[in-house]
Amino acid sequence: MHDAVTQAQTIDHSEPLPRGRRIPEHWWGYVLLAPAVILVLGLILYPVIYSFWISLHAKHAYLPIENFIGLDNYAALLDDQEGFWRGLKLGAIFAVSSVGLQLVVGVSAAMLLNESFIGRTFARGVALFPYMVPMIVVVILMRWIFNDSYGVLKYLLQASGIVDDPIVWFSPDNVMLTLILVSTWTFFPFVVIGTLARLQTIDPELYAAAKVDGAGPLRRFYHVTLPQIRNVLFVIVLLRFMFMFTKFDLIWLFAGAGGLGYYVRTLPIYTYVRTFGELQVGAGAALSVTLFLMLVVFSIFYFTIFRRDEQL
Amino acid sequence: MSLDYRMILARLLVYGAALVLVTLCGFPLVWMVLTSIKPDQEILSAAPTFWTANPHLGAFERLFETTNFPTYFANSLIVAGSATVLTVFIGALAAYGITRFRFRGRELVAGTMLFTYMFAPIMIVVPFYIVMRNLGLVNSHLGLILSYTTFSLPFSMWLLRSFFQSIPIDLEEAAMVDGASRPQAVIRVILPMAFPGLIAVSIFTFIVAWNDYLFARVLIGSDSLKTLPVGIQDLYESTVTDWGMVMAAGVMITLPALVFFIAVQRYLVAGWGAGAVKG
Amino acid sequence: MTPTQQWLRAGAAALTILAAVGTAQAADKVVTIWHTEPNEATKGAMAEIIADFEKANPGIKVNQEAIGWGDLDKKMQTALATGALPDAVHGQAYVERSLSAKGLLRPLDDVVASVGEDDIYDVVKKLNYNPKDGHYYGLAHAIGTDVTVYRKDFYREAGLSVDQPPETWAEWLDQLKKLTVDTDGDGKIDRYGLSLAGPGFFINEDLYMWTGSNGGRLFDEKGRPTFTEKPVIEVLEFWKELADCCLAPDWLSRGYLDTFADLATGKAATILGWGRGTGYFEKYAPDAVAAGDIGVFPAKPVGPSGQNFLTQLDCEPWMIFKDGQHPEEAAAFLKFFYQKDNYRKYIQTVPVHFFPITKSLQEDPDYLATPDFASWKFWTDAQRNIIANHEPKPVMVTEWDDLDLPFIAEIAGSTILVDMVTEVVQGGKAPMDAAQRAQDRAEKLITDLGYKTW
């Protein structure tokens, strides 16, 4: 890829400047990039920096209370067993389980959809559908399907004899599991999309050769498919983990802050409660910043552990 | 002989698995459609029926005649459509700039694209609102359009960059030798070749904008400006939850997007994959 | 055309499109009002009232924004934090005092005078009148009370009297146990005595109502939380017993409207609810409505340490921001809104829930002719009894003085009380332990906010 860029450079310089062009060539890079950079700086980075600034204050959401308190908001997090540490644990359980399931289901589905069979195009379309459904519709629809009185799922499980007693999907014990299942349903197509594209580019010769060597399906998956889709999975897992660890709308719209929400109060939900419920914007901002720093640290570890390995 | 037998078994497995996959993914949609056309009293029955003898479109009539649904729908189209066009335009400019010109900071910009994913919307929604307010963009579609554009841009630039990188510079050069200006060369040569990438970016942005709840909730107050997710939430919460009507609304939001999506999915798979692989 | 010009032209075209999308003009004085009634009927009635007002007041435009009730607090906060204030809003009762204490609200004495102070129900005056400086800073748009709604047919089936509301919690539990039954004989319970809404806000509601019905309070005279006092502990014990015998195992996931569905379809025999839900019964249980099987008790039971029951008064006040764009025009609009014909039109959009704040409208023949009263008059009668005789109070307020506490919004918005209940009822924690933890958290929050006065 670098070749192409270098080449472009050479060509550009050998070309005589057309009349009327007043902006030097290399400035075009800045000019073309400017709109994107301005938007990202102004609407993402500036708010983030402002968040950091607020996190150093005891600041009320709307009353004029704003005192600089240094890192006190951060120090308070260390002692915050119920809010912070428990939220971290619940968030890790949710993100790891959900991403794990998305990965298993997504890769399996992608391999299936890479086979040729009648109706494949239709199946591909349907399999990607859950990702298209707006979150609010997912939540309303799943509340409806999982409902323990009128829910069709309860009916199907009982009628088919799989369970005797109805599973109470939204009980304190099960709500985490239910949310993991719903999030898997909604987000596994993301894994399918990325994996399927890569699978399509694998040289069939590789499979033929493995078959000749007498490799069974499992070994073919392990020795041929997996090495080929590793790069894709590397990025997908990172992105999915970051998305799930910071997932707000799904959990919030399903379980809210209190009551049932107590059992799935992950850090993004806790951040929201601190900011919009308790009106402690400073403390809420400290949580946001901490959440961000955790993702940075996670990414660095992730890259150092897996990326090096991958270059082999 | 045993080979044939195993092949048949393998085929059966493939079709069986495909059936399971299609059922798991499609059933909720079917159930939503079914609920939307059932008579009210059949909806809340303990033994759900999987077909209704009396399908009717009353829920859809109520949706269109007694609610602001058509307005929400139009708003969502305006917002998601504009954000998509804007993202593709700005993203393509930036990706082209990064891949075709050498300048200081180029690698920095390219390298920090993934970085922005660490800022979840929930983490910046308060300062974000303040910025929007200072710009006078609260309670306007433009504010929403810029939000979605900004949040889609990093991924879009990242993806388009890998597309542009894979297009040989010779083609562009050949066109320019033939007398085309650079913009003409871009339009005639680069964009057609990067088409799957542009489609992928469009779909990605469209989904982000079409589905977003949080920013629409925070930024928009006027009923006449609300987008679908917020409008649906309000329908769901208002006086009487009309399950039939809420499901009808769900169908109306989902079906057009689904049809569009199936129509262009082959581009999406190709485009997304190219981006992911190159990352 | 040079390439530079081509690029610039493309950019300019894009900007033009953007500008066209974003432009909004304002020629008249635009009064922005936020209310919490996003249902189509009420929005429609408001639109008509606004149209009439604009006709009578050229040069003033009123822009209504209907906000989902759950989003009101958040939108208010962002508006206050950023100074982007609307002119008139509906708010929570406990917000009114703290906003007026900060000098943010325009007094509404003139609006109250135009309605007629004597004509307004006493609970509304207690709620909106600030005795410290002698001004009204809000005026409820309508009132209503939380009532026990029950199915008469299920009461009869269980051999219980349909006209005798339970007077004590013990009696109530007895009834609920009898109402929790296996209807089809398969050994599984399929109708529960009570269906409660699980979201945090509703847990706050039930907790303060039951604490008040048990002779208790949530805060002492100095504003210090009193969660470890006997009345609160007894509420937690009662709640635990209630959940174990008579609530569905997934009650925490029950949305408020789910409880109405439960009553309509016979999954529950009683619920706590508001008149707004009558439409739900008409839609999903027309037979029960026709047979007169839906009933409302005109009183609620009291706890072992209580004398009188406390139930919730729904009473979001209209408030006008002093520093909004057009406070005077907003006040003029509110006066117009409360004019008899306009106000009746508004009330009639949700007639069983919206109880007018004026006694005179109660006697108005056109109001009494509201079609819904043909089947639901008993519901408004029950509310009238409670409003006139039993002093319902707004959410989180067990004593009228609580209105002056500046941190009610933060406590209600936190999950402290909800967690306390959840830990006891679902987590099996000892009531005193959970209460102590909630007490500590609440004291810390109040201290952090700078409101500690004990």
Side-chain angles (χ1 to χ4, degrees), chain A residues 60-63 82 143 148-150 164-165 168 170 172 259-260 262-263 265 272 276-280, chain C residues 7 74 77 80-81 188 250 253-254 261-262 265 267 410 413-415 418-419 422-423 426 437 448-449 451:
Chain A
H60 192 274
Y62 56 84
L63 299 177
E82 281 290 316
R143 285 192 87 104
D148 92 347
S149 302
Y150 325 103
D164 282 339
D165 289 319
V168 183
F170 298 118
L260 198 63
Y262 177 73
Y263 299 93
R265 195 180 298 149
Y272 188 88
F276 291 107
E278 299 179 0
L279 310 181
Q280 304 276 66
Chain C
W7 285 114
K74 192 171 64 190
Q77 287 156 27
L80 285 160
K188 291 174 201 131
D250 69 338
S253 76
R254 283 287 195 267
D262 287 343
T265 58
K267 300 283 171 191
E410 288 84 345
S414 80
T415 58
V418 185
D419 290 353
T422 309
E423 282 169 2
Q426 296 299 138
R437 204 174 77 75
D448 286 350
L449 287 163
Y451 293 133

Side-chain angles (χ1 to χ4, degrees), chain C residues 102-217:
Chain C
K102 299 283 171 198
L104 294 169
L105 298 181
R106 175 195 182 280
L108 294 188
D109 302 323
D110 52 341
V111 177
V112 171
S114 84
V115 177
E117 194 172 357
D118 294 339
D119 195 21
I120 297 173
Y121 275 100
D122 283 349
V123 281
V124 177
K125 287 191 261 190
K126 281 196 171 147
L127 179 81
N128 295 131
Y129 181 71
N130 186 346
K132 285 193 180 147
D133 66 0
H135 290 296
Y136 285 90
Y137 288 99
L139 189 57
H141 70 92
I143 49 182
T145 64
D146 187 86
V147 291
T148 311
V149 191
Y150 68 109
R151 286 282 293 258
K152 293 184 177 174
D153 43 346
F154 302 158
Y155 260 69
R156 283 191 209 102
E157 268 176 42
L160 296 164
S161 158
V162 293
D163 309 313
Q164 276 291 307
E167 287 176 8
T168 64
W169 286 354
E171 217 177 293
W172 194 25
L173 276 176
D174 254 10
Q175 290 194 351
L176 294 180
K177 281 177 191 161
K178 287 182 187 152
L179 292 163
T180 302
V181 288
D182 164 19
T183 53
D184 55 7
D186 64 353
K188 291 174 201 131
I189 290 170
D190 29 34
R191 180 186 305 143
Y192 288 91
L194 177 66
S195 182
L196 278 188
F201 180 80
F202 295 94
I203 294 184
N204 279 343
E205 283 188 356
D206 295 335
L207 181 78
Y208 104 94
M209 283 196 283
W210 290 345
T211 302
S213 298
N214 197 31
R217 54 190 184 170

Side-chain angles (χ1 to χ4, degrees), chain B residues 26-103:
Chain B
F27 178 75
L29 174 68
V30 172
W31 194 244
M32 184 161 74
V33 174
L34 200 56
T35 307
S36 73
I37 58 172
K38 274 185 187 178
D40 289 334
Q41 276 178 283
E42 269 181 54
I43 291 176
L44 285 187
S45 98
T49 47
F50 291 89
W51 184 241
T52 174
N54 313 303
H56 72 139
L57 294 176
F60 289 88
E61 277 168 27
R62 290 198 296 279
L63 183 66
F64 281 92
E65 281 165 15
T66 67
T67 76
N68 266 343
F69 185 84
T71 310
Y72 303 149
F73 199 90
N75 289 341
S76 266
L77 274 183
I78 292 170
V79 169
S82 310
T84 303
V85 171
L86 198 59
T87 304
V88 169
F89 181 69
I90 295 180
L93 284 186
Y96 186 81
I98 285 184
T99 54
R100 294 298 190 264
F101 300 98
R102 172 175 290 173
F103 54 94

Side-chain angles (χ1 to χ4, degrees), chain C residues 433-444:
Chain C
D433 293 348
Q436 186 61 54
R437 204 174 77 75
Q439 173 86 16
D440 294 344
R441 286 175 67 191
E443 287 186 11
K444 181 171 183 316

Side-chain angles (χ1 to χ4, degrees), chain C residues 181-412:
Chain C
V181 288
D182 164 19
T183 53
D184 55 7
D186 64 353
K188 291 174 201 131
I189 290 170
D190 29 34
R191 180 186 305 143
Y192 288 91
L194 177 66
S195 182
L196 278 188
F201 180 80
F202 295 94
I203 294 184
N204 279 343
E205 283 188 356
D206 295 335
L207 181 78
Y208 104 94
M209 283 196 283
W210 290 345
T211 302
S213 298
N214 197 31
R217 54 190 184 170
L218 292 176
F219 308 98
D220 68 15
E221 315 73 55
K222 292 192 156 171
R224 185 172 187 176
T226 54
F227 306 159
T228 54
E229 285 183 358
K230 188 174 164 218
V232 181
I233 300 294
E234 283 178 347
V235 169
L236 294 174
E237 287 163 351
F238 167 70
W239 207 320
K240 172 81 178 145
E241 199 181 340
L242 179 68
D244 289 349
C245 74
C246 312
L247 295 181
D250 69 338
W251 73 274
L252 273 183
S253 76
R254 283 287 195 267
Y256 170 66
L257 289 170
D258 294 333
T259 66
F260 277 78
D262 287 343
L263 195 76
T265 58
K267 300 283 171 191
T270 63
I271 58 171
L272 304 179
W274 305 87
R276 193 181 286 274
T278 49
Y280 213 101
F281 301 135
E282 284 169 353
K283 192 169 182 64
Y284 293 116
D287 300 344
V289 173
D293 281 336
I294 308 243
V296 163
F297 284 132
K300 285 184 164 183
V302 295
S305 305
Q307 300 292 322
N308 301 304
F309 74 86
L310 171 66
T311 192
Q312 188 181 346
L313 178 68
D314 180 29
C315 50
E316 285 107 21
W318 280 114
M319 298 177 287
I320 294 180
F321 285 110
K322 209 167 64 183
D323 301 326
Q325 300 282 308
H326 306 292
E328 293 315 309
E329 287 75 8
F333 174 73
L334 286 191
K335 287 174 194 164
F336 189 78
F337 167 84
Y338 282 112
Q339 283 177 15
K340 201 170 190 178
D341 290 342
N342 298 328
Y343 190 46
R344 185 180 54 235
K345 191 186 284 178
Y346 177 80
I347 291 289
Q348 281 177 328
T349 60
V350 194
V352 187
H353 187 117
F354 284 178
F355 195 87
I357 62 166
T358 54
K359 296 169 204 162
S360 61
L361 191 56
Q362 289 286 336
E363 313 301 328
D364 179 64
D366 289 338
Y367 168 74
L368 291 171
T370 305
D372 286 43
F373 289 169
S375 32
W376 299 108
K377 184 139 188 315
F378 66 89
W379 196 309
T380 23
D381 287 347
Q383 292 197 80
R384 192 199 306 250
N385 171 50
I386 294 171
I387 287 167
N389 306 319
H390 296 281
E391 260 200 28
K393 297 191 183 72
V395 64
M396 300 295 288
V397 173
T398 50
E399 316 273 347
W400 288 111
D401 288 346
D402 290 351
L403 284 171
D404 285 322
L405 298 175
F407 48 75
I408 297 285
E410 288 84 345
I411 297 283

